[in-house]
Amino acid sequence: MELLLFIDSKIFFFIVYFSFVVFKNNLWRLNMSTKFISNRHKNYEEAALSKTNEMVKRYDDVIDLSIGDPDYTADRRIIDAMYKAGLEGHTHYTEFLGDEELRQVTIDAYKEDHGFKFNKNEILITAGGTHAMYLTMEAILDPGDEVIAIAPFYIYYKPQVELPGGKLRVCNTDCKDNFDVNLDVLESQITERTKAVIINSPSNPAGKVYSQENIKGIIELAEKYDFLVIADDIYGALNFTNNTKPICSYEEKPNRIITLYSYSKDYSMTGLRLGHIIANEDLINTMRKVNEAVCFTINSMAQKGGVVAIKNRKEIQAELKEEYYKRGMYVYERIQKMKNIKCKKPEGTFYIFADIRDTGMSSMDIWEYILDEAHVLVLPGSGFGAAGEGFIRIANTVSIPILKEAFDRIEKTDAFR
């Protein structure tokens, strides 16, 4: 009996010792893996959008309405142009500001469509809109400078502002006012460190198209307090209203307004990473220098595809706009027949920002609930700022038959019937 107790005690102490060694080694590895990470990144909260890759794998039959990646493939003419460009040897660096032909056809398009004029030294080709925003912030911000975002706002504005050392200030809007900007509230957010305000119209996530009076008021505040206006024109072609005047055209030439553009949504070119910045020459020159340290020049074949996209813009964009409007209206009409959820008619983009406060759940809770109960993945409104709490964002980036299946499932859950 004593021998058995002795053996048992040996085994017990061996297990304890082994567990301690494993814990110590894991702790060492953890310290080694984190001690070299910069402090500003260690505790940075991950955006809800960044979690969708894992969440969509939770069930085999998930319908993904979370990410704004259109189901459309880029137009065949764009793809053919890229293929041809590669065969012709366009696999090298382009000019630092971007392919000269692409910059020229972009200049011509803005002049023809909006009467807005600028030159080749006032445009920088970028790897999409996110890259454009980052270059802009690096170029204009000193540590402690502030940028105002109108909430609900695009998830990644916060890191785009704060990683270069800036501070994000938020101007909240109210769904009761259809998310219009209250200029008095905006003015109250302005300080001596305000460097810029971001306007995204049509907006992500609310699909809001701001009135000309709203935009003029914001520009007047920028002139009064001497800060920049950043026009995030990512969804310019997906505007379902009669108010289609781009923010840049409120000026005769680039001065106070910086225009950011992406081909991702308007041309279904998300994976091809192409966009541009239009601003005064001094700002563009600074952004060019920043970009040379980030990615040097942009994909040369994608830029040749961009030339063809712009030359055929009216035909390509008309088809996309018509389809996304149909999808948006389908989702709007389905929601009108459901309990505990409501939304406004879509004004632009391919998103519906739906009010789920009558469920009694938070945005984060309903996000998980819809995924677990209906196997449909959306995004929580709270990820777009405090003004988005109580909402979910639905991306109409799948066909109407798939949207029907998604809403058939959601409608059968206890929360919405």
Side-chain angles (χ1 to χ4, degrees):
M1 184 68 177
E2 290 179 356
L3 180 60
L4 288 173
L5 288 173
F6 175 76
I7 294 172
D8 287 345
S9 64
K10 285 283 189 181
I11 294 172
F12 172 75
F13 283 113
F14 174 76
I15 293 171
V16 171
Y17 176 74
F18 180 76
S19 299
F20 172 75
V21 171
V22 171
F23 172 76
K24 184 178 179 181
N25 287 340
N26 286 337
L27 184 62
W28 179 82
R29 290 191 186 95
L30 180 64
N31 289 334
M32 281 298 293
S33 66
T34 60
K35 74 175 185 178
F36 297 111
I37 297 173
S38 68
N39 289 328
R40 68 181 184 275
H41 284 291
K42 281 181 181 177
N43 300 314
Y44 217 92
E45 184 179 357
E46 187 177 31
L49 188 58
S50 301
K51 302 174 184 177
T52 56
N53 281 344
E54 289 303 315
M55 294 185 74
V56 78
K57 299 174 185 176
R58 189 177 297 181
Y59 306 103
D60 293 336
D61 60 344
V62 171
I63 297 175
D64 189 359
L65 307 181
S66 63
I67 298 180
D69 190 355
D71 55 336
Y72 276 88
T73 300
D75 189 270
R76 178 61 186 265
R77 287 166 289 188
I78 297 170
I79 299 170
D80 286 344
M82 293 176 62
Y83 177 65
K84 181 181 178 184
L87 293 178
E88 291 176 349
H90 292 285
T91 58
H92 303 279
Y93 297 131
T94 65
E95 292 187 22
F96 292 139
L97 287 176
D99 181 274
E100 187 170 4
E101 182 184 15
L102 177 57
R103 284 183 288 142
Q104 185 59 57
V105 296
T106 304
I107 291 168
D108 295 342
Y110 273 87
K111 182 179 178 181
E112 178 184 337
D113 295 350
H114 311 298
F116 181 62
K117 301 176 183 179
F118 57 98
N119 63 51
K120 289 182 183 178
N121 294 323
E122 294 173 322
I123 177 172
L124 172 67
I125 305 302
T126 66
T130 302
H131 180 223
M133 183 67 81
Y134 180 77
L135 294 180
T136 298
M137 294 305 166
E138 277 285 358
I140 71 173
L141 295 180
D142 289 314
D145 281 347
E146 297 175 353
V147 176
I148 300 173
I150 299 166
F153 56 84
Y154 176 55
I155 286 174
Y156 292 113
Y157 284 167
K158 182 177 173 65
Q160 287 167 345
V161 169
E162 294 185 353
L163 289 178
K167 177 183 177 182
L168 185 72
R169 293 182 69 90
V170 178
C171 173
N172 286 311
T173 60
D174 196 319
C175 64
K176 294 178 182 177
D177 301 324
N178 196 24
F179 297 111
D180 282 324
V181 180
N182 184 312
L183 295 176
D184 291 333
V185 173
L186 176 60
E187 188 168 15
S188 72
Q189 294 296 324
I190 298 169
T191 73
E192 61 182 11
R193 296 303 303 269
T194 300
K195 204 65 171 284
V197 62
I198 303 171
I199 312 175
N200 178 210
S201 180
S203 74
N204 174 16
K208 173 68 181 176
V209 176
Y210 298 110
S211 69
Q212 292 191 22
E213 290 72 24
N214 242 184
I215 292 171
K216 287 177 182 176
I218 293 169
I219 293 172
E220 287 172 1
L221 287 175
E223 291 171 348
K224 177 179 178 180
Y225 293 100
D226 195 22
F227 58 81
L228 296 166
V229 174
I230 300 172
D232 187 3
D233 285 356
I234 306 304
Y235 302 90
L238 305 180
N239 184 333
F240 309 137
T241 74
N242 294 322
N243 177 26
T244 57
K245 182 178 180 178
I247 296 169
C248 64
S249 63
Y250 286 74
E251 294 186 316
E252 291 185 5
K253 61 180 183 177
N255 183 23
R256 188 176 298 277
I257 297 170
I258 300 173
T259 297
L260 312 183
Y261 185 74
S262 169
Y263 291 65
S264 292
K265 320 300 183 179
D266 286 357
Y267 294 102
S268 292
M269 292 171 62
T270 52
L272 301 180
R273 311 313 302 135
L274 189 64
H276 63 241
I277 306 170
I278 300 170
N280 72 60
E281 190 169 335
D282 289 337
L283 283 172
I284 289 294
N285 189 47
T286 303
M287 295 171 192
R288 174 190 60 76
K289 289 186 285 187
V290 173
N291 186 55
E292 287 168 22
V294 175
C295 68
F296 206 61
T297 64
I298 311 307
N299 183 310
S300 55
M301 289 183 286
Q303 293 187 66
K304 290 301 183 185
V307 171
V308 172
I310 291 179
K311 287 182 176 180
N312 294 279
R313 65 190 179 281
K314 293 180 180 178
E315 181 182 346
I316 294 172
Q317 292 175 349
E319 179 184 350
L320 294 174
K321 179 179 177 179
E322 181 181 5
E323 176 63 17
Y324 289 133
Y325 179 73
K326 288 179 181 177
R327 294 179 185 182
M329 288 304 297
Y330 175 80
V331 172
Y332 168 77
E333 289 166 2
R334 283 297 299 264
I335 287 175
Q336 303 316 301
K337 300 173 184 177
M338 295 170 63
K339 294 181 179 179
N340 298 328
I341 184 171
K342 52 194 172 187
C343 69
K344 303 282 188 181
K345 282 186 178 180
E347 294 183 358
T349 75
F350 40 59
Y351 304 117
I352 292 290
F353 207 48
D355 186 340
I356 48 81
R357 288 175 292 180
D358 288 346
T359 65
M361 297 189 213
S362 69
S363 292
M364 294 296 287
D365 287 342
I366 204 73
W367 182 34
E368 294 277 359
Y369 176 88
I370 292 173
L371 177 58
D372 289 334
E373 297 298 319
H375 295 189
V376 176
L377 183 60
V378 294
L379 279 182
S382 56
F384 300 92
E389 176 53 58
F391 289 76
I392 56 172
R393 192 194 76 174
I394 302 163
N396 307 321
T397 49
V398 297
S399 65
I400 288 179
I402 299 176
L403 287 171
K404 180 181 183 303
E405 170 64 20
F407 276 87
D408 285 348
R409 294 184 193 178
I410 295 171
E411 204 168 27
K412 292 176 183 176
T413 65
D414 291 340
F416 298 105
R417 65 180 180 187

